[in-house]
Amino acid sequence: MTSMSRARVARRIAAGAAYGGGGVGLVGAATVGLLLAEVRLARRHVGNGSSGRVPVADGVYGHAYDAPGEPPLRLTMLGDSTAAGQGVHRSGQTPGALLASGLAAVAERPVELRNVALPGAQSDDLDRQVALVLSSPLPVPDICVIMIGANDVTHRMPPTRSVRHLSAAVRRLRTAGAEVVVGTCPDLGTIEPVQQPLRWLARRASRQLAAAQTIGAVEQGGRTVSLGDLLGPEFEANPRELFGPDNYHPSAEGYATAAMAVLPTVCAALGLWPAEEERPDVFRREGFLPVARAAAEAASEAGTEVTAAMPTGPRGPWALLKRRRRRRVPEAEPARPSV
């Protein structure tokens, strides 16, 4: 599917989500049953090498930057098993811990991490997760990172419904005062037990949803980072290194790669990235595009950021597409319990 075709489909899904339309099919109806059968087969392999336990990583990172009277930055993770960190054994290997440690190093300030993500969650669980965050007696997070979408595809949630729930979550968090970064739907075509041609169909469905998620999140004031191809060429080239024991969730190295891609956008959202990095770099093919086209291009290239730019243009809202240089994340130190 070309970038322009993906942009049209993403626009239709996002419009359906905004106006309450019905489901827009991600793949042809004749292939859906076959795809689900293959995914079910893949799931039999999931868990064979993993206990399913998710390490608890909540707490304060960056103790070295403690300063009297200065509260820590607050980072909250929402979403599914990818946000929770399923597939690794130590809390410091989870994406939340890695992002908290990286953010602390850039900001030179402690970071308090809270993770409300739920393994197996679909986008409709974001309503509950956001309520947990906003009903807490703790201050509103400075930034929230959402990773969601894979289970929506495998459970056949209509993409318009999926995007509607994500958009509502971003809107509620932004209205409360938090910055929001969304890691869009990963590429399900990289799951090892899924074979061709269903691998191609899974990839197509994942990218279509990722592009539609980008439109929905950016229109509500969030930023997005494509995780799709991050779990593509790199994972396919090093499956034993970048996938965990269950061949489904990332390993410690895989989560570190994802965190390295998301961290620059998290820092930029908080105004912590160098000013010269905020200007589009034509040599990295960055620039302003209609939001649907930017979303489609981002879905095809991992680590690509999309953020709102202009509310109106010749073809509707425009966005800034950035291919940020990845920032290596430091190894996460043990968290100090929150007080």
Side-chain angles (χ1 to χ4, degrees), residues 57-66 70-74 97 100-101 104 109-114 332-339:
D58 290 20
V60 179
Y61 294 79
H63 315 311
Y65 304 110
D66 278 329
E70 185 174 21
L73 289 169
R74 298 185 185 275
S101 294
R109 185 173 166 187
V111 174
E112 183 174 1
L113 171 68
R114 184 185 182 200
E333 61 185 49
R336 183 175 61 199
S338 303
V339 294

Side-chain angles (χ1 to χ4, degrees), residues 94-116:
T94 62
L98 292 166
L99 284 171
S101 294
L103 179 57
V106 174
E108 298 186 345
R109 185 173 166 187
V111 174
E112 183 174 1
L113 171 68
R114 184 185 182 200
N115 198 323
V116 299

Side-chain angles (χ1 to χ4, degrees), residues 106-196:
V106 174
E108 298 186 345
R109 185 173 166 187
V111 174
E112 183 174 1
L113 171 68
R114 184 185 182 200
N115 198 323
V116 299
L118 178 68
Q122 300 174 53
S123 290
D124 54 5
D125 192 58
L126 290 176
D127 301 349
R128 182 191 64 83
Q129 293 182 30
V130 171
L132 273 177
V133 173
L134 298 184
S135 64
S136 168
L138 298 171
V140 173
D142 295 289
I143 188 154
C144 295
V145 175
I146 303 174
M147 296 179 177
I148 199 87
N151 296 315
D152 297 10
V153 175
T154 59
H155 288 76
R156 297 179 65 184
M157 177 181 286
T160 49
R161 184 179 166 206
S162 174
V163 173
R164 189 178 304 127
H165 283 293
L166 176 62
S167 299
V170 174
R171 180 171 61 251
R172 289 172 66 192
L173 292 169
R174 291 290 292 128
T175 300
E179 297 290 339
V180 180
V181 173
V182 177
T184 55
C185 182
D187 185 351
L188 296 179
T190 61
I191 300 172
E192 282 196 318
V194 176
Q195 302 300 316
Q196 295 289 17

Side-chain angles (χ1 to χ4, degrees), residues 2 25 54-55 85 88 117 120 146 184 199 246 248 295 297 311 316 338:
T2 67
V54 177
V88 295
I146 303 174
T184 55
R199 188 180 288 251
D246 59 16
Y248 191 91
E297 291 202 13
S338 303

Side-chain angles (χ1 to χ4, degrees), residues 200-218:
W200 176 85
L201 291 171
R203 173 163 292 148
R204 179 185 175 193
S206 304
R207 288 184 176 182
Q208 287 180 2
L209 180 57
Q213 287 177 316
T214 297
I215 296 174
V218 168

